[in-house]
Amino acid sequence: MINPADIIFTNRCPLCGEVINLSERECPSCREKIPQSGVRKFGKYKCAYAFPYSGEYRKAVLEYKFHGVHSLSRPLAAYMKTAVECRLADSCFDVVTYVPMYREHRFGFNHSRTLAKRLARQLALPCEKLLEKTRKTKKQHSLSIDDRRYNVRGAFCAVSGLAGRNVLLVDDIVTTGYTLAECIRTLKAAGAGRICCVALCSVTQK
């Protein structure tokens, strides 16, 4: 039986763009191929991620990040929620935050912030801006591996009053992890308790 809502409102698979029912998250073909979430470690800190940064998953995040397909934030955040539940199940969080942009109020759209808000709602947690980017940095992907660490060193400051709060830090794509590591260092220096990270995609480490 055809659901009238499926005619009025079009829902598409976030991974391939095929039209699907409103009750579905992705099409059956993509559902069969979805890989298990993964986890990376930066020292003693964990970063769960939903997808490898390749294939249709890379295409989906680029559509969201660079082509203005903001409607993808809801289903993509749901995949991140699954990664948190599978890979960070031993952790409890008080707040969700995100990697900030420099003067992000001028841009109006921070991809990580939007994902963090969606994810926080799905996890029934508050989402707060706990970090501020204090200076403009070069694009990490344009730099050598060695230069990326120094590019973000000292680029963030944290709000006061963290006082032992356990934080889930959100980013969209993780490559070397230097940006997340610097954000973690800044949060810990401000008094945060346990910190874990979650990203939508992670570049495969060789």
Side-chain angles (χ1 to χ4, degrees):
M1 181 177 180
I2 297 176
N3 185 343
D6 291 334
I7 300 175
I8 300 172
F9 304 103
T10 300
N11 187 29
R12 294 184 179 274
C13 174
L15 303 177
C16 71
E18 180 180 329
V19 176
I20 56 178
N21 294 331
L22 290 178
S23 59
E24 295 180 305
R25 186 168 70 176
E26 64 280 303
C27 70
S29 177
C30 287
R31 189 177 305 127
E32 290 180 358
K33 298 183 293 183
I34 291 178
Q36 290 188 339
S37 60
V39 66
R40 289 175 59 180
K41 284 192 174 182
F42 310 122
K44 63 180 181 180
Y45 298 100
K46 291 182 180 179
C47 178
Y49 62 89
F51 302 121
Y53 189 55
S54 61
E56 58 265 50
Y57 313 111
R58 180 178 182 274
K59 182 180 178 182
V61 73
L62 291 179
E63 284 289 313
Y64 166 66
K65 189 168 182 175
F66 296 114
H67 297 157
V69 188
H70 299 178
S71 60
L72 287 174
S73 64
R74 187 188 302 274
L76 294 180
Y79 293 118
M80 296 172 74
K81 176 176 181 284
T82 299
V84 170
E85 292 173 340
C86 291
R87 301 297 177 176
L88 305 176
D90 60 340
S91 301
C92 294
F93 305 104
D94 301 311
V95 63
V96 176
T97 194
Y98 53 91
V99 176
M101 295 171 59
Y102 180 64
R103 295 182 178 175
E104 61 186 50
H105 61 279
R106 293 188 176 183
F107 298 92
F109 181 60
N110 179 338
H111 318 90
S112 296
R113 178 184 62 195
T114 303
L115 287 172
K117 288 183 175 180
R118 293 284 193 189
L119 177 60
R121 192 173 297 123
Q122 294 175 17
L123 293 173
L125 290 169
C127 180
E128 300 176 17
K129 184 175 182 178
L130 301 182
L131 290 164
E132 188 83 40
K133 192 168 186 182
T134 57
R135 61 178 173 84
K136 188 175 182 179
T137 57
K138 295 179 180 179
K139 299 292 186 182
Q140 288 286 79
H141 66 261
S142 68
L143 301 174
S144 68
I145 297 297
D146 290 336
D147 288 339
R148 293 184 187 190
R149 184 193 302 271
Y150 300 104
N151 184 47
V152 294
R153 190 72 177 178
F156 304 96
C157 68
V159 301
S160 59
L162 285 175
R165 299 176 79 191
N166 298 323
V167 178
L168 178 61
L169 175 62
V170 174
D171 202 359
D172 50 9
I173 305 169
V174 179
T175 51
T176 60
Y178 290 145
T179 299
L180 283 177
E182 182 63 16
C183 287
I184 290 170
R185 188 190 69 81
T186 304
L187 289 168
K188 288 300 292 184
R194 186 168 187 175
I195 302 172
C196 293
C197 309
V198 61
L200 181 56
C201 288
S202 173
V203 174
T204 302
Q205 298 296 288
K206 297 181 181 180

